[in-house]
Amino acid sequence: MPDESRRLDSVCVYCGSSNDADPAFIAAAGEIGASFAQAGLKLIYGGGGVGLMGATARGAHEAGGRVLGIIPQFLTGREQPFDDVETIVVANMHERKMLMFERADAFVVLPGGIGTLEEIIELLSWRRLDLHQKPIVFHNPRGFWNPLFTLLQHTIDEGLTPPALAQTWRSVETAEDVIPALLSWDAEFYQSGPQTSVRLLT
């Protein structure tokens, strides 16, 4: 892939913040964080130091990568910010999500709980409304996200969601496949020249 085709510089990760997650998920999160650093991509994440969230940030930081955490003030005690990286403390969840969206050129979704679901559904809804065209890649170990994909397909089958929405994300099973999926999508999207990929949300 020619260098001039690349447009990605920063990637936002949505993922769980629970230390009770499958240790394999947490280990993979660290690998994915390191892969961002190796690819020269800045990690944008939720600012916490626990669960998959913390593992991703540590993986990127320890591999020499650029990391930006964004966390609301009320979560600083619960999610224990990772103090070794740049962190922005904001007033609330809405500000956190908007800043993460604005700072990112693409998104990676790792296993997570209700908070991750809320983030990705909003992101897909904005994509449905043509508010952005940023790549979205799911890390889907053990088919973790398959129930969500089934539900989304159900809404398509029932005529409630346009079929084209199913083409707005990609899913990979292994940590090592995340970066290649992002970069191939990036090259494909921009191969015909620079495009406007974001509309104002406010």
Side-chain angles (χ1 to χ4, degrees):
M1 182 181 70
D3 290 343
E4 60 268 23
S5 70
R6 178 171 169 176
R7 296 295 184 275
L8 292 183
D9 179 67
S10 58
V11 181
C12 174
V13 168
Y14 295 137
C15 61
S17 59
S18 172
N19 286 326
D20 294 329
D22 185 334
F25 291 171
I26 294 177
E31 294 175 23
I32 290 169
S35 73
F36 285 172
Q38 292 155 7
L41 296 171
K42 183 175 184 176
L43 168 65
I44 311 294
Y45 85 114
V50 292
L52 281 72
M53 187 186 298
T56 306
R58 278 188 288 275
H61 177 67
E62 291 171 3
R66 296 171 294 149
V67 181
L68 172 64
I70 302 171
I71 190 168
Q73 178 65 48
F74 79 95
L75 280 180
T76 54
R78 186 184 308 175
E79 292 187 350
Q80 303 168 23
F82 182 36
D83 293 332
D84 291 343
V85 302
E86 179 186 2
T87 300
I88 298 173
V89 179
V90 296
N92 53 56
M93 293 291 284
H94 294 293
E95 188 177 352
R96 176 203 224 180
K97 289 191 299 177
M98 184 58 68
L99 198 54
M100 290 172 73
F101 175 83
E102 291 174 345
R103 296 290 184 96
D105 301 315
F107 300 86
V108 170
V109 186
L110 279 57
I114 190 67
T116 305
L117 281 168
E118 187 263 346
E119 289 167 328
I120 189 57
I121 291 298
E122 183 171 64
L123 185 67
L124 290 172
S125 176
W126 289 351
R127 181 65 182 88
R128 160 70 179 89
L129 296 170
D130 198 30
L131 294 173
H132 75 92
Q133 294 178 315
K134 299 180 181 184
I136 303 168
V137 173
F138 285 83
H139 179 228
N140 191 30
R142 294 197 283 104
F144 181 88
W145 289 113
N146 287 354
L148 174 62
F149 300 152
T150 298
L151 176 60
L152 292 172
Q153 185 60 48
H154 174 65
T155 69
I156 292 171
D157 294 342
E158 291 291 337
L160 298 170
T161 299
L165 187 74
Q167 307 304 314
T168 61
W169 71 82
R170 296 181 182 176
S171 174
V172 300
E173 293 185 9
T174 66
E176 56 265 31
D177 286 335
V178 169
I179 293 298
L182 280 174
L183 296 183
S184 66
W185 190 332
D186 186 51
E188 177 184 317
F189 184 73
Y190 285 101
Q191 63 185 350
S192 60
Q195 304 181 32
T196 299
S197 61
V198 184
R199 292 170 55 192
L200 292 177
L201 299 180
T202 58

